[in-house]
Amino acid sequence: MDWLEGVQIAQAASRQVPEVALRAIDLAGQMARQLGADVFVDAHFSKASTFRSRGKLRLQTPVADWLNADAARLAVIATVDEKELIESSADQSQVVLHVDASASEATLFAESGLADLLGDPARAALIPRGDYAAGTVALAVLAAITSLVALRRRGGRADIAHIHARSVLSWVNWKAAVAGDLGRDLRREGARAEWPIIPCKDGHAALIYQERDWRNIVAMVGDARLAETRFGSFRGRAAHREEYMAIIRDWTAARTKSALMQAFFEHDIPAAPVLDAQDLLADPLLRHREAFESVTRESGKAARSPRLAHRVAALGEAQEAKNPRGGPLPLSGLRVLDLGIITAGAGVSALLADLGAEVLKIESHTYPDPFRAWAGEAVSPFFKSNNRNKYGLALDLKTERDRARFLALVETADVVVENFRRGVLERLGIGYETLKSVNPSIMLASISGQGLDGPGAEASSFGSTLEASSGFSARVCYDDGAPYTTGRNVNYPDQTVVLYAAAVIAAAVSGGTRGMHLDVSQRDVTVYLLGEEIERVSAGERATDVAVTQSASVNKGSEMYALETAACTDAFATDPDGNLVKGFPFQFQQEPMRVRMNSPRVGEHTDQFCA
């Protein structure tokens, strides 16, 4: 849907802006164009018809003159000068991307500490080949654009959003900052990673699983030795790692990526083969989702290009808004019911809360957010980052009484965010059709690993599963070709979907009050960032070279946090209790976002909202 229809955006840059910043703004502009905006570019951007630049218009006047000609216009500028802004009146919106003149894909990954989590600890850190740093920054720029559009449409105000390129990647790497602040830096683990990548007959596969999945792995491999008591616990497997991994490696080595994908799905294991661009073009689920569209390259060759990562699965009715519009922040007055867990869902609603929405986190005492106790820790220090600025409600949605209380809240809400496994909402009796019957203008935003439907869409997955299946891991490797994932330390698609989903939700709610079921796929977000490579491969052109190893200084999590603190950026913040938490991927100049509330206890505010 063209939620940005009528919006005019200009892309501009000052002198000496590095290529990575131009690519970031170009990609953000392309996403905005695909959301319905008219996008204009200045002379810093290529005239060629490429994945990032296709369909844009040329500025015919200086960007300052263009911006000031219409109060509703918005400018996006990249600059190496901290003080540089376009001269404009107070009612003009701008997104300003600040970047060092020496910035590149390599330096952004190195300084943010992300490189420190990729590769083997005995070898140099790895930098993904492609546009992943630029792409991550682009997602933050898109979120800033749609937030400013929402502020204009809902509040009648303008503001300036400031983004620091390095700080966006540091924000993505927030777990490393929290761990570093506690005195335990996260580091890359290579072949001894909890979730290793192992060879198969025609490539590699990422062996990703939880403790509860071990029995399914034993059944899948079908080797009686794996059922021995010494392998039956996490601690036992750690003590005998080489023995059990040798059995699994022998099994995967005899099977193709396609066969492994089917086996993982049949045994409900969140593992995945490592796919490259060619694999993605033939992938049955991506074909079902019509993830690629036909385009013509500058060379005249026909190619395939990724579509945006969301779909509108169903529409409700246009209704009068439930909550008052206007306020100091773009989403002030919006009520969000948060069924999200861990990062992909809870992180989206956290950013919506930062942008001004009133977010009610729905858990139960019998099923709290698993992130409260994560990776064997009774009280996870990571939970606070995805749940500050929220109210906490305890509702057991399996009971008729609390389901009725939840639906009463739906009547007053604008958005419901969820990232459960497919089918869970329907089994609880709160699927979209039920929500729509209570509130026709409600938006149900489903943040899923691979989308709502299609072959294999219901397969369980984690962020690193999606790194393997989206093409990301295939582009993180040494010369020997062995790929890597970020593992629990980052789970890269979990972080980037937060930016994308918050961006499209802001665009949709500001574009009208028509209800809908919004389907956002984490995998599709990551596939989209591979757009240039997918176009080249689909056109039969030469693929890009192998990944880059980083030999310059690579920051640890604590060093990255110290760098952001010294630079006074907003990538990290403290909650009212003084705990270090994830901050903001961008910041507004006139009305800054703030961490106003601690993360709630389960049910801390139930009586306040369900009296």
Side-chain angles (χ1 to χ4, degrees), residues 268-609:
D268 195 24
I269 298 166
V274 175
L275 305 183
D276 59 21
Q278 197 70 58
D279 297 323
L280 295 174
L281 288 163
D283 184 82
L285 178 55
L286 293 177
R287 288 195 170 200
H288 172 84
R289 287 182 61 77
E290 298 180 342
F292 306 110
E293 61 182 351
S294 297
V295 297
T296 302
R297 297 277 285 171
E298 191 73 14
S299 62
K301 293 182 178 179
R304 305 289 287 164
S305 187
R307 295 174 61 203
L308 290 177
H310 69 276
R311 307 287 181 269
V312 175
L315 284 172
E317 300 174 11
Q319 296 282 315
E320 191 170 325
K322 297 287 181 184
N323 298 304
R325 294 177 180 270
L329 289 166
L331 301 185
S332 294
L334 201 76
R335 173 172 281 188
V336 176
L337 305 184
D338 175 25
L339 296 173
I341 59 173
I342 310 179
T343 293
V348 170
S349 53
L351 186 48
L352 299 180
D354 297 342
L355 290 168
E358 176 189 67
V359 176
L360 312 185
K361 184 175 181 66
I362 312 294
E363 303 171 89
S364 74
H365 291 290
T366 56
Y367 185 74
D369 186 334
F371 220 22
R372 288 186 181 273
W374 187 244
E377 300 182 71
V379 180
S380 170
F382 299 138
F383 176 81
K384 297 178 178 66
S385 284
N386 281 333
N387 294 284
R388 74 287 188 283
N389 283 348
K390 300 180 184 179
Y391 297 92
L393 279 65
L395 298 176
D396 186 349
L397 298 176
K398 293 181 179 179
T399 68
E400 186 173 343
R401 172 178 177 268
D402 280 359
R403 192 160 51 247
R405 297 169 89 187
F406 174 74
L407 292 174
L409 289 170
V410 171
E411 288 188 64
T412 71
D414 302 280
V415 180
V416 175
V417 174
E418 65 91 15
N419 66 314
F420 293 134
R421 290 190 65 172
R422 301 306 92 215
V424 168
L425 288 190
E426 287 71 22
R427 289 195 293 273
L428 289 172
I430 54 170
Y432 176 68
E433 291 303 317
T434 300
L435 303 184
K436 185 174 72 168
S437 69
V438 172
N439 180 356
S441 63
I442 196 73
M443 174 196 288
L444 173 59
S446 291
I447 318 299
S448 64
Q450 303 186 93
L452 292 178
D453 57 22
E458 66 273 29
S460 57
S461 64
F462 294 99
S464 288
T465 311
L466 304 170
E467 288 179 23
S469 66
S470 68
F472 177 87
S473 292
R475 302 176 70 75
V476 183
C477 56
Y478 296 105
D479 291 342
D480 57 16
Y484 291 84
T485 70
T486 63
R488 288 183 192 268
N489 292 336
V490 180
N491 276 329
Y492 175 78
D494 284 353
Q495 315 308 328
T496 51
V497 77
V498 169
L499 295 167
Y500 182 81
V504 295
I505 289 171
V509 298
S510 69
T513 57
R514 189 180 181 92
M516 70 187 71
H517 189 180
L518 182 65
D519 165 13
V520 180
S521 161
Q522 291 175 252
R523 185 191 187 199
D524 288 10
V525 172
T526 314
V527 168
Y528 188 87
L529 301 186
L530 195 58
E532 291 286 349
E533 178 77 358
I534 287 172
E535 283 199 8
R536 280 193 294 268
V537 170
S538 66
E541 298 172 5
R542 187 181 181 86
T544 54
D545 294 330
V546 296
V548 178
T549 54
Q550 170 65 20
S551 57
S553 176
V554 175
N555 285 331
K556 299 184 293 186
S558 56
E559 294 168 336
M560 170 268 288
Y561 172 55
L563 176 62
E564 296 298 341
T565 302
C568 298
T569 71
D570 290 284
F572 304 103
T574 54
D575 65 17
D577 279 350
N579 301 297
L580 173 65
V581 292
K582 179 169 61 173
F584 315 105
F586 55 90
Q587 186 58 282
F588 300 113
Q589 181 169 299
Q590 296 179 30
E591 292 288 345
M593 295 179 281
R594 295 183 176 89
V595 176
R596 309 176 303 276
M597 300 165 57
N598 295 316
S599 59
R601 300 185 302 275
V602 177
E604 182 177 347
H605 305 99
T606 306
D607 291 344
Q608 179 178 340
F609 291 93

